[in-house]
Amino acid sequence: MINVSRIFLLLPLLVLFAGCAAMQSDRADAKRLGTAGQAATQSLQQQAAQVKSSLTSLSTTITVKEILDCRGVVNQAMREGCIKNASTVVSQFEKQRKDLLDIIDKRQKALKALNDAYATFGDLSNYDAGQNTATAVENAFGKINTLSASLGAILPAGVVIAPITATITKALGGLGALTADQRQSELTKAASKDLHTALDAMIKVLQNEEDSVAMKSLMVELQDEMDRMEKSTLEAGLGSTMGILGSFYSKVAPDITLTSSTAPSNSDLATAAAKQILAQTMSSREHSLESAYDQAISVLVAVRTEHEKLEATQGVNVSLIIAEVQHLRDITKTLGN
Amino acid sequence: MSNLSDRLAAIKQNYDDASDNEATDLASAKTAAEVAAVQANVANARSTYFSAVEAMLSKAGDDVEAAYQEALNSQKIIADARKKSAAIADFLGKLSDGTDKATTLLNKAKSL
């Protein structure tokens, strides 16, 4: 016969064990979400780093192209004038270049701060709940203060985000009566809300239509500048076509081994073929650059959805995030990344 | 009605066309002044494009439908002139006009 009174005595213990299981689950969710958030922000961070690198060398890239474009000027005096102008024309857009570099640098720092915050969030699950984690967590999440300042620097004028340390600071203040496990669970949820707020602000910037159009255009244009420099190099007879032709043949006709040099009588054919391959590569790369940017934002949106689930104690499912990240990797593979 | 993407694309196209055709245009130049004019036009178009990108990344722009349409029309005129191998002086005038219109587009956006 079942002893009902014993069941009632056991109930508080059952609730306690269920509660412990839920807290263990919170920590596991924090770890999964932390890892997913890092993956999501890393791709955008890498894209921003690539833009920054291209902007840094842009003046030289353009100057070289400008000089090589003087190749058709036959008159010696005019040719010298052309070369002299080519060496100085980039100064006209130097201010815009530096201003853009500053904008991208701030964006990259904001993404890095978000990336670091996700790393810390994931590490939250490693803290020993038996110790006093309040100070350790507060110190670790000092990075969120950095993130708040970084995001503020890239938001459009007039757009304000709420202080993102509010939730965790408030949570820390009210956790005195809880057990260490309960405290860690509450801090995990509070930290998730803070990260959620920061992520919302980042997504707001990236999904702003004007911002998105401009960033994608800039990424494509920076690649176009490189491609124009390459084309001018070929047309000036300074570059070997074998690299471009060899890469093409290795993909579409791997059985063909190109000779190490082109017969002089066919050099115009090789140049024309190489230019055609370059033009086709430029066209397909434009689409891939834009798709990679849009997809990276989709990954962030997927991470945001899982924050909502963690805060509602619904359990985090990173399979959707993994699928979005895989799609992003497939796109960036076409860029040769 | 244009949208943001169309407006920036028009400004970018103006720069891309000028830069892509720069070597050919320089080879057609008959005087040092014409060489300098071709190079100056490309530089202006470049500056206009990167200024437009900077403006859009740092603050919101606004509708500049009329200026956008002018830039489109101007690009068509330039393309036609190239096809017909118009006299270089006349052609340079059209190039400069196209870049001016793109700059107008940008300045209108900045003022709003």
Side-chain angles (χ1 to χ4, degrees), chain A residues 268-323:
Chain A
D268 58 332
L269 301 178
T271 300
K275 279 164 60 178
Q276 185 60 36
I277 294 167
L278 206 56
Q280 182 55 40
T281 305
M282 280 171 71
S283 176
S284 64
R285 204 155 37 193
E286 273 187 27
H287 177 71
S288 292
L289 280 169
E290 291 171 346
S291 296
Y293 188 76
D294 286 338
Q295 183 56 25
I297 296 171
S298 294
V299 176
L300 288 187
V301 171
V303 171
R304 182 172 61 184
T305 302
E306 297 312 311
H307 273 292
E308 290 162 6
K309 287 182 188 172
L310 186 147
E311 289 148 33
T313 326
Q314 287 175 1
V316 168
N317 179 355
V318 293
S319 60
L320 280 175
I321 301 175
I322 290 169

Side-chain angles (χ1 to χ4, degrees), chain A residues 58 62 65-66 69-73 78 81-82 85-86 89 92-93 96 99-100 103-104 107 157 209-211 213-215 217-218 220-221 224-225 228, chain B residues 3-5 8 12 15-16 19-20 22-23 26-27 29-32 35-36 39-40 42-44 46-47 49-51 53-54 56-61:
Chain A
L58 187 59
I62 289 175
K65 183 264 181 193
E66 290 283 311
D69 277 354
C70 294
R71 59 188 176 275
V73 182
M78 283 168 58
C82 184
N85 289 342
V89 288
Q92 186 172 341
F93 96 112
Q96 289 94 355
D99 287 346
L100 279 168
I103 289 169
I104 301 301
R107 186 171 298 232
E209 187 197 356
E210 197 151 14
D211 191 279
V213 164
M215 267 306 293
S217 176
L218 179 61
V220 168
E221 182 60 40
D224 285 348
E225 298 285 5
R228 281 199 279 261
Chain B
N3 56 34
L4 290 166
S5 182
L8 186 60
K12 183 177 184 302
Y15 170 44
D16 286 347
S19 186
D20 286 341
E22 186 175 14
L26 284 169
K30 298 291 185 290
T31 66
V35 164
Q39 291 175 307
V42 176
N44 288 340
R46 177 184 303 122
S47 184
Y49 167 73
F50 282 104
S51 291
V53 170
E54 186 200 341
M56 287 170 76
L57 286 179
S58 53
K59 65 176 175 64

Side-chain angles (χ1 to χ4, degrees), chain B residues 3-105:
Chain B
N3 56 34
L4 290 166
S5 182
D6 286 344
R7 289 200 296 277
L8 186 60
I11 297 173
K12 183 177 184 302
Q13 191 66 51
N14 187 57
Y15 170 44
D16 286 347
D17 283 348
S19 186
D20 286 341
N21 289 286
E22 186 175 14
T24 306
D25 295 340
L26 284 169
S28 301
K30 298 291 185 290
T31 66
E34 286 176 1
V35 164
V38 169
Q39 291 175 307
N41 182 70
V42 176
N44 288 340
R46 177 184 303 122
S47 184
T48 300
Y49 167 73
F50 282 104
S51 291
V53 170
E54 186 200 341
M56 287 170 76
L57 286 179
S58 53
K59 65 176 175 64
D62 216 317
D63 183 23
V64 284
E65 184 68 18
Y68 158 68
Q69 291 297 338
E70 283 179 15
L72 277 188
N73 291 339
S74 185
Q75 281 173 20
K76 185 179 181 312
I77 292 169
I78 290 166
D80 287 345
R82 280 208 177 93
K83 279 181 199 166
K84 292 173 189 169
S85 299
I88 185 72
D90 179 50
F91 173 58
L92 282 172
K94 291 183 172 65
L95 271 183
S96 175
D97 196 44
T99 303
D100 284 347
K101 293 210 165 62
T103 306
T104 303
L105 183 81

Side-chain angles (χ1 to χ4, degrees), chain A residues 124-302:
Chain A
L124 189 61
S125 64
N126 293 333
Y127 288 118
D128 183 349
Q131 294 178 349
N132 185 351
T133 63
T135 305
V137 170
E138 189 174 0
N139 286 342
F141 276 88
K143 282 188 179 111
I144 289 188
N145 289 324
T146 307
L147 174 57
S148 181
S150 299
L151 280 173
I154 65 171
L155 291 174
V159 176
V160 177
I161 56 170
I164 60 173
T165 57
T167 313
I168 192 168
T169 305
K170 192 178 168 188
L172 283 166
L175 302 178
L178 300 178
T179 64
D181 266 344
Q182 287 170 324
R183 188 166 62 236
Q184 190 174 15
S185 177
E186 289 304 311
L187 284 172
T188 300
K189 284 189 194 138
S192 172
K193 282 182 185 164
D194 279 345
L195 267 173
H196 186 172
T197 303
L199 189 58
D200 271 339
M202 180 65 79
I203 290 173
K204 187 170 185 153
V205 171
L206 298 177
Q207 284 189 330
N208 169 272
E209 187 197 356
E210 197 151 14
D211 191 279
S212 174
V213 164
M215 267 306 293
K216 285 188 283 190
S217 176
L218 179 61
M219 288 164 70
V220 168
E221 182 60 40
L222 289 172
Q223 188 59 54
D224 285 348
E225 298 285 5
M226 276 301 303
D227 292 339
R228 281 199 279 261
M229 196 257 310
E230 284 182 26
K231 187 167 168 256
S232 287
T233 303
L234 281 177
E235 289 178 340
L238 298 179
S240 165
T241 55
M242 302 316 291
I244 296 173
L245 293 173
S247 175
F248 173 74
Y249 272 86
S250 70
K251 286 174 197 160
V252 303
D255 292 339
I256 302 268
T257 303
L258 296 178
T259 54
S260 57
S261 60
T262 311
S265 59
N266 287 335
S267 63
D268 58 332
L269 301 178
T271 300
K275 279 164 60 178
Q276 185 60 36
I277 294 167
L278 206 56
Q280 182 55 40
T281 305
M282 280 171 71
S283 176
S284 64
R285 204 155 37 193
E286 273 187 27
H287 177 71
S288 292
L289 280 169
E290 291 171 346
S291 296
Y293 188 76
D294 286 338
Q295 183 56 25
I297 296 171
S298 294
V299 176
L300 288 187
V301 171

